[in-house]
């Protein structure tokens, strides 16, 4: 299972570093966007320069995954990007759906393998006052210091 985790982490990291850097360096020619809402969406991302923010997140998350350190941070940075990739292809450009499923499956596998770092997000309820780890802050007597 450890080998599958390393392979998934490296594949996902390489994909995001490559395509993230492509946003800045344009070394892989991009095909014209499909007609309809997908074209309008992509044009809005390019015209607003939003793609540079997405590209930076892709590069940062990919490099973190490739480094093998802080993997939960890399997955956290890439999570919203992966959700948007999946939704874009489900709703506007179904031709890229197989690759979106592969990326999603790799990310979900890595998320499962690192689930102990995300378990706090799925706990039911909030801690009660008796379970709180923080002590209440006592207010100092402000008149004593005059």
């Amino acid at each position: 299972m450890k080998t599958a985790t390393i392979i998934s982490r490296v594949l996902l990291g390489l994909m995001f570093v490559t395509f993230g850097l492509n946003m800045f360096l344009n070394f892989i020619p991009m095909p014209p966007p499909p007609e309809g809402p997908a074209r309008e969406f992509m044009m809005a991302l390019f015209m607003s320069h939003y793609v540079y923010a997405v590209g930076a997140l892709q590069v940062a998350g990919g490099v973190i995954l490739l480094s093998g350190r802080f993997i939960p941070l890399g997955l956290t940075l890439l999570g919203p990007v992966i959700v948007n990739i999946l939704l874009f292809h489900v709703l506007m450009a179904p031709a890229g759906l197989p690759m979106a499923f592969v990326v999603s499956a790799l990310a979900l596998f890595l998320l499962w393998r690192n689930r102990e770092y995300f378990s706090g997000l799925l706990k039911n309820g909030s801690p009660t006052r008796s379970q709180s780890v923080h002590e209440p802050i006592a207010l100092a007597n402000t008149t004593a210091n005059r």
Side-chain angles (χ1 to χ4, degrees):
M1 193 61 94
K2 187 174 181 175
T3 305
T5 303
I6 293 170
I7 290 171
S8 298
R9 179 176 55 80
V10 170
L11 279 175
L12 199 61
L14 282 174
M15 278 192 268
F16 278 107
V17 167
T18 302
F19 292 110
L21 284 175
N22 191 50
M23 300 285 190
F24 299 102
L25 305 175
N26 206 10
F27 53 87
I28 301 172
M30 294 182 65
E35 293 296 324
R39 175 185 220 93
E40 294 168 13
F41 181 74
M42 292 302 294
M43 291 303 294
L45 292 178
F46 279 101
M47 296 299 289
S48 67
H49 302 287
Y50 192 79
V51 291
Y52 297 122
V54 173
L57 287 172
Q58 288 179 354
V59 171
V63 166
I64 290 170
L65 289 182
L66 287 174
S67 75
R69 298 183 52 122
F70 308 110
I71 294 170
L73 176 62
L75 291 172
T76 302
L77 291 174
L78 293 175
V81 176
I82 294 169
V83 168
N84 278 297
I85 290 170
L86 189 61
L87 288 175
F88 174 80
H89 289 294
V90 166
L91 299 173
M92 293 183 256
L97 208 49
M99 192 57 164
F101 283 143
V102 169
V103 169
S104 299
L106 289 172
L108 285 172
F109 175 72
L110 288 175
L111 191 66
W112 177 256
R113 294 290 292 159
N114 292 279
R115 65 188 175 273
E116 67 272 8
Y117 298 106
F118 298 99
S119 64
L121 297 173
L122 302 175
K123 288 185 179 173
N124 188 12
S126 61
T128 62
R129 188 166 177 88
S130 64
Q131 295 172 335
S132 179
V133 294
H134 301 293
E135 293 293 322
I137 298 173
L139 297 176
N141 186 353
T142 57
T143 59
N145 293 333
R146 289 187 187 177

